[in-house]
Amino acid sequence: MNVSLCPSNYLLSINIFSIVLTLPMVIIFVLLCILLTIHSKTFHPFFTLSFILLISSYAICNICLLLRSICELYDEESYFIDYVDKAYLWVYMYIQPCVVIGLIERLCATIFVSSYEHSRHWFMYIIGQGLGVGVVYYENFLVNNGQYNDTAKNVQFGLSICICICLVILFFVNRHLTFNSRHKSVLTVRYQLAENVKALRTFVPFVVVDNCLSVLFVLSMILFKVDFNIDLDVCRSHPGYTVSFALFRAILLLTQLFMPLLVVKQHSSIWNQIKPLMERRKPTVRQSIDPDQNKVLKINNVLGIDIVGSNVDYFTQLKVQWLT
C-alpha cells in the first residue's frame, strides 16, 4: 500500500467538507419532516406516513454521516464509528423499500380512486412495511457475510427497476383515468383524482432523484470501488480513488440539498403557507376588479391536462346530483 496516495490532509479535507454540507442538510430534512407532520391531513394517511418515513430516513442517514465525519476528526479507530456505520447501512437500505411501498400506495389510490379516500387498511400497510424491513434484513445479512459485491447489489438494482416500473405504470394509469374522467365521472371522483395527482407531483420528483442517486452509487461501487464511506485500503492502493471519492461525495451531498426544495415547491399546502412569506417584500398593486373572477377553474395533472374542468362542468355535475 502507498500511504502517499491517501494523505492525512486529504482525509481531513473530506471530513471538513462533509461536515460543512451535511449539517445544513440535517437541519433541512428535520424541518421538512416537521412540516409534513404539521400538514399531515393534506393527503391520505398512508401517503403522508410513507413520505415522512422516507424523509426521516434521509435525515437519519445524514445524521450518521455527520457523526462519522466528526468522530474521524478525533479518532479514526473509534468503536462508535462502527455503530454509526451499522445504523447508516440499515436506514439507507430501508429507503428503497420505503419508496416502493409509497409508489404502490399511490398506485392503489389511483386505481381505486372512487373508494380509496375513506379506506384505512392498516393491516395491509403494516404487512407492506414488514416486508420492507425483511428486505433490509436480508441485505444486511448479505453484507455481514461478505456477499455485498454480488447479491446485495443485484437486490438494489432490482428495487430500482421495480421503482421505474411503478413510475411508468402510474404515468399510464393516471393518463388513462384522466382522459376517461373528463366530463364523465361524478364530481367527487374527479376531485379525488386531482388530489392523487397533487400527491404524485410531490412524491415523484423526489423519488426520481433518489432513484438516480441509488443507481449512480451502485455503479460507482462496481466501477470505481467508491462507497458512501471512504475505504482506506482502496484509497492507498488505487491512484484515482481520491478524485473519484471526492467527486461522488460532492454529487451526493449537493444533490440532496435540492431534494427538500422539490418537495416544498410541489407540496401545495406547504407552498401556499411559505409563498406569502417570500413575497412580502414585493410591491402590491391594488385593483378594483379581480382579474381572476372570470377565469376558468383548472386543476392540471402531471400531463398538463385539466382534470376538474370548467365552472360550468361543476354546476352541471352538481345539478345532476340534485336531480338524481
Side-chain angles (χ1 to χ4, degrees), residues 40 57 60 75 78 84 121 141 160-161 172 175 185 191 208 213 255 260 275 302 306 323:
S40 59
S57 299
I60 294 173
D75 184 10
S78 174
V84 172
H121 300 294
F141 173 78
S160 297
I161 293 173
F172 284 106
R175 180 179 180 181
S185 302
Y191 269 95
V208 170
L213 284 177
T255 303
K275 187 177 180 180
V302 289
D306 180 19
L323 291 177

Short mmCIF file of all heavy atoms in Angstrom, two decimals, residues 40 57 60 75 78 84 121 141 160-161 172 175 185 191 208 213 255 260 275 302 306 323:
data_model
loop_
_atom_site.label_atom_id
_atom_site.label_comp_id
_atom_site.label_asym_id
_atom_site.label_seq_id
_atom_site.Cartn_x
_atom_site.Cartn_y
_atom_site.Cartn_z
N SER A 40 -50.10 17.01 7.79
CA SER A 40 -50.34 15.58 7.56
C SER A 40 -51.74 15.30 7.01
O SER A 40 -51.97 14.25 6.39
CB SER A 40 -50.15 14.80 8.86
OG SER A 40 -51.05 15.28 9.86
N SER A 57 -35.76 8.89 6.99
CA SER A 57 -34.63 8.02 6.67
C SER A 57 -33.46 8.84 6.13
O SER A 57 -32.30 8.60 6.49
CB SER A 57 -35.05 6.96 5.66
OG SER A 57 -36.08 6.14 6.17
N ILE A 60 -31.88 10.70 9.08
CA ILE A 60 -31.06 9.83 9.93
C ILE A 60 -29.75 9.49 9.22
O ILE A 60 -28.67 9.47 9.85
CB ILE A 60 -31.84 8.55 10.29
CG1 ILE A 60 -33.05 8.90 11.17
CG2 ILE A 60 -30.94 7.56 11.02
CD1 ILE A 60 -33.97 7.74 11.44
N ASP A 75 -10.66 10.53 16.18
CA ASP A 75 -10.18 9.16 16.33
C ASP A 75 -10.75 8.29 15.21
O ASP A 75 -11.94 7.95 15.24
CB ASP A 75 -10.57 8.60 17.70
CG ASP A 75 -9.99 7.21 17.94
OD1 ASP A 75 -9.14 6.78 17.14
OD2 ASP A 75 -10.37 6.57 18.95
N SER A 78 -12.23 4.74 16.38
CA SER A 78 -13.25 4.71 17.43
C SER A 78 -14.29 3.62 17.16
O SER A 78 -14.73 3.43 16.02
CB SER A 78 -13.94 6.08 17.52
OG SER A 78 -15.02 6.03 18.43
N VAL A 84 -22.25 3.62 14.20
CA VAL A 84 -22.83 4.62 13.29
C VAL A 84 -22.96 4.04 11.88
O VAL A 84 -23.98 4.23 11.21
CB VAL A 84 -21.98 5.91 13.28
CG1 VAL A 84 -22.45 6.86 12.19
CG2 VAL A 84 -22.04 6.60 14.64
N HIS A 121 -56.84 0.54 5.40
CA HIS A 121 -56.44 -0.85 5.55
C HIS A 121 -55.05 -0.90 6.21
O HIS A 121 -54.04 -1.21 5.57
CB HIS A 121 -56.42 -1.55 4.19
CG HIS A 121 -57.75 -1.55 3.50
ND1 HIS A 121 -58.85 -2.24 3.99
CD2 HIS A 121 -58.18 -0.93 2.36
CE1 HIS A 121 -59.88 -2.06 3.18
NE2 HIS A 121 -59.49 -1.27 2.19
N PHE A 141 -27.84 -9.07 6.02
CA PHE A 141 -27.30 -10.42 6.18
C PHE A 141 -26.24 -10.70 5.11
O PHE A 141 -25.19 -11.29 5.39
CB PHE A 141 -28.43 -11.44 6.10
CG PHE A 141 -27.98 -12.87 6.09
CD1 PHE A 141 -27.59 -13.49 7.26
CD2 PHE A 141 -27.92 -13.58 4.90
CE1 PHE A 141 -27.15 -14.82 7.26
CE2 PHE A 141 -27.48 -14.90 4.88
CZ PHE A 141 -27.10 -15.52 6.07
N SER A 160 -34.51 -0.80 -7.87
CA SER A 160 -34.51 0.37 -8.76
C SER A 160 -35.38 0.13 -9.99
O SER A 160 -36.13 1.00 -10.42
CB SER A 160 -33.08 0.73 -9.18
OG SER A 160 -32.30 1.10 -8.07
N ILE A 161 -35.27 -1.09 -10.56
CA ILE A 161 -36.11 -1.43 -11.71
C ILE A 161 -37.57 -1.45 -11.32
O ILE A 161 -38.44 -0.96 -12.06
CB ILE A 161 -35.67 -2.79 -12.28
CG1 ILE A 161 -34.27 -2.69 -12.88
CG2 ILE A 161 -36.66 -3.28 -13.34
CD1 ILE A 161 -33.68 -4.03 -13.31
N PHE A 172 -49.11 5.88 -16.94
CA PHE A 172 -50.11 5.46 -17.91
C PHE A 172 -51.50 5.28 -17.27
O PHE A 172 -52.51 5.60 -17.90
CB PHE A 172 -49.66 4.17 -18.60
CG PHE A 172 -48.60 4.38 -19.63
CD1 PHE A 172 -47.28 4.01 -19.38
CD2 PHE A 172 -48.89 4.98 -20.85
CE1 PHE A 172 -46.29 4.22 -20.32
CE2 PHE A 172 -47.91 5.18 -21.81
CZ PHE A 172 -46.61 4.80 -21.54
N ARG A 175 -52.88 8.70 -16.81
CA ARG A 175 -53.29 9.26 -18.10
C ARG A 175 -54.61 8.65 -18.55
O ARG A 175 -55.51 9.37 -19.02
CB ARG A 175 -52.20 8.97 -19.13
CG ARG A 175 -52.50 9.51 -20.52
CD ARG A 175 -51.37 9.20 -21.47
NE ARG A 175 -51.64 9.70 -22.81
CZ ARG A 175 -50.83 9.54 -23.85
NH1 ARG A 175 -49.68 8.90 -23.68
NH2 ARG A 175 -51.13 10.02 -25.03
N SER A 185 -67.09 11.27 -15.16
CA SER A 185 -67.19 10.82 -13.78
C SER A 185 -67.90 11.85 -12.92
O SER A 185 -67.98 13.03 -13.26
CB SER A 185 -65.79 10.56 -13.21
OG SER A 185 -65.11 9.59 -13.98
N TYR A 191 -62.43 15.09 -8.32
CA TYR A 191 -61.64 15.83 -7.34
C TYR A 191 -60.70 14.91 -6.58
O TYR A 191 -59.58 15.32 -6.21
CB TYR A 191 -62.55 16.59 -6.37
CG TYR A 191 -62.86 17.98 -6.86
CD1 TYR A 191 -64.02 18.24 -7.57
CD2 TYR A 191 -61.98 19.03 -6.64
CE1 TYR A 191 -64.30 19.52 -8.04
CE2 TYR A 191 -62.26 20.30 -7.09
CZ TYR A 191 -63.41 20.55 -7.80
OH TYR A 191 -63.69 21.81 -8.27
N VAL A 208 -37.65 10.19 -8.19
CA VAL A 208 -36.80 10.11 -9.38
C VAL A 208 -35.36 10.47 -9.04
O VAL A 208 -34.42 9.76 -9.43
CB VAL A 208 -37.35 11.04 -10.49
CG1 VAL A 208 -36.34 11.17 -11.63
CG2 VAL A 208 -38.67 10.52 -11.02
N LEU A 213 -29.80 8.64 -7.76
CA LEU A 213 -28.66 8.58 -6.85
C LEU A 213 -28.32 7.14 -6.48
O LEU A 213 -27.14 6.77 -6.41
CB LEU A 213 -28.96 9.38 -5.57
CG LEU A 213 -28.88 10.91 -5.69
CD1 LEU A 213 -29.28 11.55 -4.36
CD2 LEU A 213 -27.47 11.35 -6.08
N THR A 255 -26.65 17.22 -4.35
CA THR A 255 -27.97 16.85 -4.89
C THR A 255 -29.01 16.77 -3.78
O THR A 255 -30.15 17.21 -3.96
CB THR A 255 -27.88 15.49 -5.61
OG1 THR A 255 -26.90 15.57 -6.64
CG2 THR A 255 -29.22 15.13 -6.24
N PRO A 260 -35.20 18.49 -0.72
CA PRO A 260 -36.28 19.05 0.09
C PRO A 260 -36.97 20.24 -0.56
O PRO A 260 -38.17 20.46 -0.37
CB PRO A 260 -35.58 19.47 1.40
CG PRO A 260 -34.35 18.63 1.45
CD PRO A 260 -33.93 18.47 0.03
N LYS A 275 -45.12 30.65 0.48
CA LYS A 275 -45.06 31.61 -0.62
C LYS A 275 -45.37 33.05 -0.20
O LYS A 275 -44.65 33.97 -0.60
CB LYS A 275 -46.02 31.17 -1.73
CG LYS A 275 -45.92 32.01 -3.00
CD LYS A 275 -46.84 31.47 -4.08
CE LYS A 275 -46.75 32.32 -5.34
NZ LYS A 275 -47.65 31.80 -6.41
N VAL A 302 -50.17 15.81 -14.06
CA VAL A 302 -48.78 15.84 -14.48
C VAL A 302 -48.63 15.86 -15.99
O VAL A 302 -47.56 16.15 -16.51
CB VAL A 302 -48.03 14.61 -13.92
CG1 VAL A 302 -47.84 14.74 -12.45
CG2 VAL A 302 -48.78 13.33 -14.26
N ASP A 306 -56.43 19.25 -17.92
CA ASP A 306 -57.38 19.72 -16.93
C ASP A 306 -58.23 18.56 -16.43
O ASP A 306 -58.92 17.90 -17.21
CB ASP A 306 -58.28 20.81 -17.56
CG ASP A 306 -59.31 21.34 -16.56
OD1 ASP A 306 -59.09 21.15 -15.36
OD2 ASP A 306 -60.30 21.94 -17.01
N LEU A 323 -80.74 16.33 -9.03
CA LEU A 323 -81.90 15.79 -9.75
C LEU A 323 -82.01 14.28 -9.61
O LEU A 323 -83.09 13.71 -9.66
CB LEU A 323 -81.81 16.17 -11.24
CG LEU A 323 -81.99 17.68 -11.55
CD1 LEU A 323 -81.81 17.92 -13.03
CD2 LEU A 323 -83.36 18.17 -11.08
#
